[in-house]
Amino acid sequence: MSTSRSDIATTGTDMGGPGLGRGTSSVMRMTAGVLGCLLLAVFLVSGKLVEIAERQPLGDSRDRWLDVAEGVDRVANFLALNRPYDLITDIRGVGTDAGERVDSIQAVAANLARERRSSSVAAPTATLAPPTSTSTAPAATSAPAQTESPTQNDQPWIPEADKDPGLTDQSGTPGLAGGPAPDGSPTPVVSLDPDGSPTPTSGDIPNGGSEPTGASPDLQLGFDDEGQPLPPLPSNDPVLLPSPKIRTITPEDPLRVYVAGDSQAFYPGHALAGAVGGGLLDVTVDSRNGTGLARPDFFNWPAEFLEIVAEDNPELVVLIMGGNDWQAMQSADGMVLIPGSDAWRSEWTWRMHITFDTLVASHRHVVWVGLPPARTEPFSIGNPLINEISWPVTLVRPSVTMVDVWDLFGGDGPYQESLSPPWGGDPVRVRQEDGVHINRTGSAWVAEKIVEVARERWDFEESG
């Protein structure tokens, strides 16, 4: 039997055509099914999409993504497709913390001002008026209105409960050192640099920062209208007396410790729990990824602290944050502030002061842990600058101690993953693979430094 070319072509068309069509149709149906499932998944977790968009760096790109995410969420809400996600978040308690409900540090500052007015404690002008994008000085160092000698306005405002009874001025009065000198002239503990930040009058600058302009071993009143330092005053050093211990820590009444911050706080917080034996520390670790002081719209730590002190009343508060803050911030007047600008520094300094204001109490001490060197940007750029801004703020608050870990993890030299322990010995790995975080071994070193601060403030009743 013979077969012509036309027969073969016709037979091939008849045999292959329908099969090819069925295959293409199946692929199209599968693709449509996958896309449909993805679209359904987007609607089911629309709330999470909004959260992801909100945490993006401030700018036009974030605004566009947020508009899209909120539009999807509105559609999902209309179709009731996001109900399962909302139910799960309700069960987990997501969004119920104060840090998630309040998205403005200005609101926290206003609350603090109301509390001070109701308790007849004078509030600093900083609490009432945060810096704006045109500010050149962090308002947190402003002094309250006083009827005493005008020279006293040169001193930074310190909350009454934040005054250290172990620090006396020349008249013997406990509290902030720097009372009138014998000739009647003021003797402030710190000077103010041109952007209004307190500047130490002596000593080395820790944490990888550079020395601020105008720093001098002599005491200074501040700066004139042109930003030049005023003539130094005669050095009249305050009398430093040993701070009285707050109380004795026993196994029956352990020290209540609250460790808070971003992901960097997780390992040091848990290392602290085992740093002192005998059940003398009762440690709570509150580590929240991606948080800090720059974006209260994502998570508002000062608001969270107000709730924590009211409910848990911790005695030692350890703050490990700032690594996520080298990003744009929004000022009180709605301007986006560029990281490192004068306005940005003023805003971040003010937020740090408000953070400490929420925690101040006579029975409480705060430890601010500085940031370590990092291998990758933006942390390698931001960490030393955040440290530089942070330490003068802690300097003027006796109830706050900054633990410097910069040199502990390599300092200004090349980034190092392995280092010798502080007590000597062979190098051990102390950093995680990401070049940002400290591992468990390094966290134990940090915990030891925190314990040293705690032992200065409390007596520990230890067996043996």
Side-chain angles (χ1 to χ4, degrees), residues 209-221:
S210 58
E211 182 172 353
T213 303
S216 167
D218 296 316
L219 297 173
Q220 294 182 352
L221 283 172

Side-chain angles (χ1 to χ4, degrees), residues 63-405:
D63 294 341
R64 288 192 294 269
W65 281 110
L66 188 57
D67 288 341
V68 172
E70 289 178 341
V72 171
D73 191 50
R74 285 193 295 270
V75 173
N77 188 62
F78 177 77
L79 299 175
L81 293 176
N82 56 359
R83 295 295 186 269
Y85 178 82
D86 292 344
L87 178 61
I88 293 173
T89 55
D90 289 343
I91 294 174
R92 294 177 55 203
V94 176
T96 60
D97 292 337
E100 298 167 301
R101 299 193 311 268
V102 182
D103 62 3
S104 166
I105 294 182
Q106 286 78 17
V108 177
N111 183 70
L112 289 172
R114 286 192 297 270
E115 289 182 358
R116 287 185 178 126
R117 283 195 296 267
S118 64
S119 60
S120 301
V121 177
T125 54
T127 304
L128 301 176
T132 63
S133 59
T134 57
S135 299
T136 58
T141 57
S142 302
Q146 299 181 16
T147 57
E148 292 84 8
S149 169
T151 59
Q152 294 190 18
N153 284 327
D154 292 315
Q155 301 180 20
W157 184 86
I158 298 292
E160 193 67 31
D162 205 13
K163 293 183 178 180
D164 190 341
L167 187 62
T168 62
D169 61 21
Q170 293 169 341
S171 65
T173 304
L176 178 66
D183 62 358
S185 60
T187 312
V189 177
V190 295
S191 60
L192 300 179
D193 65 20
D195 71 354
S197 301
T199 299
T201 57
S202 63
D204 296 329
I205 296 177
N207 312 319
S210 58
E211 182 172 353
T213 303
S216 167
D218 296 316
L219 297 173
Q220 294 182 352
L221 283 172
F223 293 80
D224 59 23
D225 294 338
E226 297 180 354
Q228 299 300 315
L230 295 172
L233 294 168
S235 180
N236 294 293
D237 294 333
V239 179
L240 293 177
L241 302 177
S243 299
K245 299 297 179 69
I246 297 175
R247 73 174 179 92
T248 299
I249 307 302
T250 66
E252 294 75 26
D253 191 9
L255 182 67
R256 300 185 302 278
V257 183
Y258 174 65
V259 182
D262 54 32
S263 55
Q264 194 77 269
F266 183 80
Y267 280 142
H270 287 283
L272 184 60
V276 179
L280 296 175
L281 298 181
D282 180 10
V283 180
T284 299
V285 180
D286 190 359
S287 172
R288 300 177 188 250
N289 294 350
T291 61
L293 299 181
R295 297 293 301 278
D297 57 318
F298 174 54
F299 190 82
N300 190 336
W301 276 114
E304 183 71 9
F305 293 151
L306 284 179
E307 188 170 83
I308 291 296
V309 299
E311 294 180 356
D312 301 333
N313 192 24
E315 297 171 285
L316 174 61
V317 176
V318 180
L319 305 182
I320 308 177
M321 62 179 70
N324 297 307
D325 284 348
W326 196 247
Q327 60 175 292
M329 288 190 296
Q330 192 168 38
S331 66
D333 55 0
M335 297 296 294
V336 176
L337 309 180
I338 300 173
S341 65
D342 289 343
W344 188 96
R345 288 172 179 251
S346 293
E347 177 69 22
W348 199 86
T349 299
W350 177 79
R351 294 183 184 193
M352 193 176 186
H353 273 290
I354 294 299
T355 298
F356 292 147
D357 282 350
T358 65
L359 297 168
V360 65
S362 60
H363 68 286
R364 182 177 299 123
H365 195 74
V366 179
V367 171
W368 177 275
V369 178
L371 299 173
R375 185 181 63 215
T376 57
E377 296 183 3
F379 308 100
S380 59
I381 299 173
N383 284 10
L385 295 173
I386 289 289
N387 286 338
E388 180 183 337
I389 300 170
S390 300
W391 74 266
V393 179
T394 66
L395 183 70
V396 298
R397 288 179 174 266
S399 69
V400 179
T401 299
M402 183 168 181
V403 169
D404 175 27
V405 301

Side-chain angles (χ1 to χ4, degrees), residues 272 275-276 281 446-456 460:
L272 184 60
V276 179
L281 298 181
V446 176
E448 288 297 328
K449 282 185 164 286
I450 296 171
V451 169
E452 290 176 7
V453 176
R455 292 187 185 279
E456 294 175 358
F460 285 80

